Amino acid sequence: MGDNNKNYLDGKMSPEELEQRTTQLLRAKFDKERSTRWQKLLQTQYGMERQAPTSPRASRRWLYIAVTIAALFLLLLWWAQSSPPTPSPPASAAQLALHYLDSEPYAHDRIRKGTPADEALRQQAQDAYSEQDYASSRRYYQQLIEQPQADLSDSFYLALSHCYLSDYDQAIALLHPLGANASPQNPYYDAALWYLALSHLLRGEEAQAKAYLEDFLLVKNWENQKVKARELLRTLK
């Protein structure tokens, strides 16, 4: 290429070579001017500007940064998944009592007795209790215990209605006579001990609750509740 240019300038080319070389130079000059003109036009009208090519060194640097960030992210993800979970604090006796109370409502035994009017009212009370409408069952059972034909079942389910409504004072007052009398005429003795223990715990009265739990462990049957009673006693120690 250098020799051709020198020969061109010195006039040492044949007419054909001279014409061919002149055409090449003119075409190169025209292409350069056209490229410059279009670049200026695009920059002026559209704000487009030719970007300088990124150097291989800069590309490698950005690749290294991206790989490093990805590696750190994966390391943090692995650490979060492999770290043992933070143990939650053990539940208190009151928290366990509330869980036991809410998770297993006492099923109604559907007693029918008394005058037709009492029986209708008792049916309403039983239905409300079974549907966990404890506000209504409390109201109905309160009416029943004020009747001459009231029996232990009315007092017991009124007490449980108070208990499920978090009225532990009234629940204890109604359950206490049932939990103090272990006799064949009192079929609610065992259940009364259990709900007396829960109610006292939910009032923060741990000494009374512990005494009822220890008595409850002496009753027959109720094996599932006895497991829970032992857990409550362990928590109280």
Side-chain angles (χ1 to χ4, degrees):
M1 182 67 70
D3 291 341
N4 288 337
N5 289 338
K6 188 174 183 302
N7 292 334
Y8 179 78
L9 294 174
D10 293 342
K12 296 181 178 180
M13 287 184 170
S14 65
E16 292 80 6
E17 291 175 337
L18 184 60
E19 182 180 359
Q20 183 180 4
R21 184 57 182 160
T22 300
T23 301
Q24 291 175 347
L25 292 174
L26 288 173
R27 183 179 293 113
K29 185 175 185 303
F30 174 76
D31 290 343
K32 184 177 181 181
E33 290 176 350
R34 183 175 58 181
S35 176
T36 302
R37 186 168 60 252
W38 274 104
Q39 184 176 352
K40 289 181 179 180
L41 179 63
L42 291 173
Q43 184 177 358
T44 301
Q45 295 188 6
Y46 302 102
M48 298 175 60
E49 186 174 356
R50 185 179 180 184
Q51 300 293 329
T54 304
S55 66
R57 180 177 298 178
S59 298
R60 287 194 297 270
R61 181 168 62 252
W62 282 109
L63 178 61
Y64 173 77
I65 293 172
V67 170
T68 303
I69 293 174
L72 288 173
F73 173 78
L74 292 174
L75 180 62
L76 289 173
L77 183 62
W78 172 84
W79 179 82
Q81 292 178 345
S82 61
S83 299
T86 303
S88 57
S92 67
Q95 289 172 327
L96 280 177
L98 184 61
H99 171 68
Y100 295 152
L101 181 66
D102 291 340
S103 62
E104 294 183 1
Y106 188 89
H108 205 291
D109 50 14
R110 291 285 174 176
I111 296 173
R112 290 178 176 271
K113 61 193 307 183
T115 65
D118 291 340
E119 185 175 336
L121 182 58
R122 187 169 285 111
Q123 183 65 50
Q124 287 180 296
Q126 293 173 356
D127 291 343
Y129 180 90
S130 298
E131 294 169 2
Q132 299 184 9
D133 180 4
Y134 299 117
S136 296
S137 65
R138 178 177 61 181
R139 183 172 67 256
Y140 295 138
Y141 279 118
Q142 182 64 45
Q143 296 176 38
L144 283 167
I145 67 169
E146 295 172 357
Q147 303 298 322
Q149 294 81 12
D151 63 10
L152 292 180
S153 70
D154 298 327
S155 296
F156 176 72
Y157 288 108
L158 175 59
L160 291 193
S161 298
H162 280 292
C163 192
Y164 289 124
L165 291 170
S166 303
D167 187 0
Y168 306 119
D169 290 346
Q170 289 297 321
I172 290 172
L174 289 162
L175 288 170
H176 180 71
L178 299 175
N181 178 22
S183 69
Q185 290 75 34
N186 178 17
Y188 301 104
Y189 170 76
D190 301 350
L193 292 178
W194 174 243
Y195 286 101
L196 277 166
L198 297 182
S199 296
H200 278 293
L201 278 174
L202 291 168
R203 289 190 64 201
E205 299 167 346
E206 295 185 352
Q208 294 92 323
K210 185 176 180 181
Y212 282 117
L213 288 171
E214 290 172 346
D215 288 343
F216 180 72
L217 291 177
L218 301 177
V219 304
K220 296 180 181 179
N221 304 317
W222 287 74
E223 296 305 322
N224 290 337
Q225 273 70 21
K226 286 182 180 179
V227 172
K228 298 171 184 176
R230 294 186 185 96
E231 180 63 26
L232 287 170
L233 286 170
R234 281 194 295 269
T235 307
L236 290 171
K237 291 180 180 179

